[in-house]
Amino acid sequence: MLNAIKVRLYPTIEQQEALAKSFGCARWYWNYALNACIQHYEETGKSLPMKTYKGMLPQLKIEHPWLKTDCYSSVLQCVAINLNKAYTNFFEGRARFPKFKSKHGKQSIQYPQNVTVVENCLNIPKVGIVKAVFHKEIKGVIKTVTISETPTEKYFASILCETENGENVFIDDKVIGIDLGIKDFAIVHDGTKVTKYSNPKHIKKHEKNLARKQQKLARKKKGSKSRAKAKKLVAKVHEKVSNSRQDFLHKVSRKLVDESEIITVENLNVKGLIRNRKLSKSISDAGWGMFVNFLDYKLQRKGGKLIEIDRFFSSSKLCSNCGHVVDELPLDIREWDCPSCTTHHDRDGNAALNIRNEGIRILNSQTSSEVSGGGFPVTASGDCVRPPTRKGKGRRSVKLEAYTVPVLRSV
């Protein structure tokens, strides 16, 4: 099992200069190789194989000796591999076309080997022993180490380790359904009660401060030292918003994963939802996609399962008591009575319960298909939960794989 740990680095002035040289070499080679790929495609109409631009390195090191003296050789090898991955992701519809790297903004390099942990420090080739702060013990075999510098001039190392799978810890097959929203970030239903987590609205707390500092930045002369200082102040505000958002999402996802084994959510089309200009900022600030990713990897480590139901499933309009579906339910209606059974519903709580019940139905159909000799679990729309990705049609890569569970009853 692969597990990444991010630690803060405190390099000296000399080590910062060495890292800056490595960042520059990696950035230069990325741009050179990307330009070669683009020119080759324009001339021949075919992609340039990785072995071709990877084989350019020996000659480039002769023409530009600083590539050899200022940068560790394996870092440049990783640049070629990452560029090839970027092209693969583009052609398979998972990402956009690779871009040229700039010396402004975040910088990063990757070491595939020879980075070791020495007490409370990292020994990095051609940089030296750099002081680090470890909040967790490094366990397993170190596979890769990615060194990055943020726009606020902070240094971090992401250490990817390979460890043995831990023991699965189950909590009575507890299933919960989560309905994500804007007013309340998450509405959780465990079959008996509803729990609501309010939306902190991180960007709204810093809007005035951010606008004021962006106005100051806009007045500065380009290329001046005062502009660089103002730009760093703006980056600090963005960093604070990002850190507070991730902290909130980590705490909520950890609490939900610790209390359950199976979590059901909707497969929301976030890219489509943010096209609504009235809600785009609120939806982006909520971080729904990041939250679902946090749930997914934490459940995998625990041995649990994340289920995504079809985005067109009528979770809000469906009565969880009798199954009646109302024709219309505008967003301003937060409570409603079922015309069939007269049950009073809270809109979000009813949706969370329906999402939970639909997840249980998928699990039951999956269990029965395994018993009968295979097949895919179906969603409310009749499609398989995660059909194969078509070329050019990108989808999030969280899959529902075979998982044997006892038959559960909906509430």
Side-chain angles (χ1 to χ4, degrees), residues 121-132:
C121 301
L122 275 183
N123 190 2
I124 305 173
K126 291 204 173 183
V127 177
I129 299 177
V130 182
K131 182 182 177 182

Side-chain angles (χ1 to χ4, degrees), residues 349-373:
N350 176 68
L353 180 57
N354 286 328
I355 291 171
R356 178 183 182 272
N357 292 340
E358 177 63 13
I360 293 174
R361 186 190 70 80
I362 292 173
L363 286 172
N364 288 338
S365 63
Q366 180 180 354
T367 305
S368 60
S369 66
E370 288 177 354
V371 173
S372 60

Side-chain angles (χ1 to χ4, degrees), residues 4 52 68 93 140 191 197 202 215 250 262 297 351:
T52 302
K68 185 175 182 180
Y197 295 88
H202 308 280
Q215 287 174 353
H250 272 300
I262 302 169
Y297 85 78

Side-chain angles (χ1 to χ4, degrees), residues 250-282:
H250 272 300
K251 288 178 179 177
V252 175
S253 59
R254 171 51 58 196
K255 185 175 186 300
L256 295 177
V257 169
D258 288 344
E259 294 176 352
S260 60
E261 179 191 345
I262 302 169
I263 297 178
T264 307
V265 297
E266 284 183 300
N267 181 15
L268 296 174
N269 180 19
V270 179
K271 288 185 178 180
L273 291 172
I274 61 176
R275 292 175 184 172
N276 185 336
R277 60 180 183 178
K278 294 183 179 180
L279 299 175
S280 59
K281 183 184 289 188
S282 299

Side-chain angles (χ1 to χ4, degrees), residues 167-350:
E167 297 182 359
N168 295 338
V169 180
F170 301 110
I171 305 180
D172 300 329
D173 298 326
K174 185 176 180 180
V175 184
I176 62 174
I178 302 177
D179 180 44
L180 299 175
I182 296 177
K183 181 182 178 181
D184 293 309
F185 171 75
I187 299 89
V188 182
H189 207 300
D190 62 358
T192 57
K193 68 179 185 300
V194 180
T195 304
K196 294 186 178 181
Y197 295 88
S198 60
N199 188 358
K201 298 181 180 179
H202 308 280
I203 194 68
K204 191 173 182 180
K205 296 178 182 177
H206 301 272
E207 245 177 354
K208 291 183 179 180
N209 184 26
L210 182 61
R212 183 174 63 253
K213 291 182 178 178
Q214 285 177 332
Q215 287 174 353
K216 291 182 180 180
L217 173 63
R219 298 189 187 105
K220 304 297 181 182
K221 184 179 179 180
K222 291 186 177 180
S224 63
K225 291 184 178 180
S226 61
R227 181 178 174 84
K229 291 181 180 179
K231 188 176 181 180
K232 186 176 178 181
L233 292 176
V234 172
K236 284 186 176 181
V237 179
H238 283 295
E239 185 180 67
K240 190 171 184 178
V241 173
S242 177
N243 290 342
S244 60
R245 181 186 296 116
Q246 289 193 39
D247 180 69
F248 170 76
L249 296 179
H250 272 300
K251 288 178 179 177
V252 175
S253 59
R254 171 51 58 196
K255 185 175 186 300
L256 295 177
V257 169
D258 288 344
E259 294 176 352
S260 60
E261 179 191 345
I262 302 169
I263 297 178
T264 307
V265 297
E266 284 183 300
N267 181 15
L268 296 174
N269 180 19
V270 179
K271 288 185 178 180
L273 291 172
I274 61 176
R275 292 175 184 172
N276 185 336
R277 60 180 183 178
K278 294 183 179 180
L279 299 175
S280 59
K281 183 184 289 188
S282 299
I283 292 173
S284 300
D285 185 39
W288 293 340
M290 186 184 298
F291 177 67
V292 174
N293 285 334
F294 287 173
L295 289 175
D296 183 38
Y297 85 78
K298 288 174 183 176
L299 283 168
Q300 287 182 7
R301 290 180 183 178
K302 178 184 176 181
K305 177 58 63 177
L306 175 73
I307 301 176
E308 290 181 293
I309 68 172
D310 191 86
R311 65 187 59 167
F312 299 108
F313 175 69
S314 300
S315 58
S316 299
K317 298 180 181 180
L318 177 66
C319 175
S320 57
N321 186 45
C322 67
H324 178 78
V325 181
V326 297
D327 296 331
E328 293 183 0
L329 194 63
L331 286 174
D332 58 340
I333 298 178
R334 309 314 300 175
E335 296 182 0
W336 58 283
D337 295 323
C338 177
S340 178
C341 64
T342 68
T343 303
H344 183 74
H345 293 295
D346 172 73
R347 181 192 182 103
D348 298 328
N350 176 68

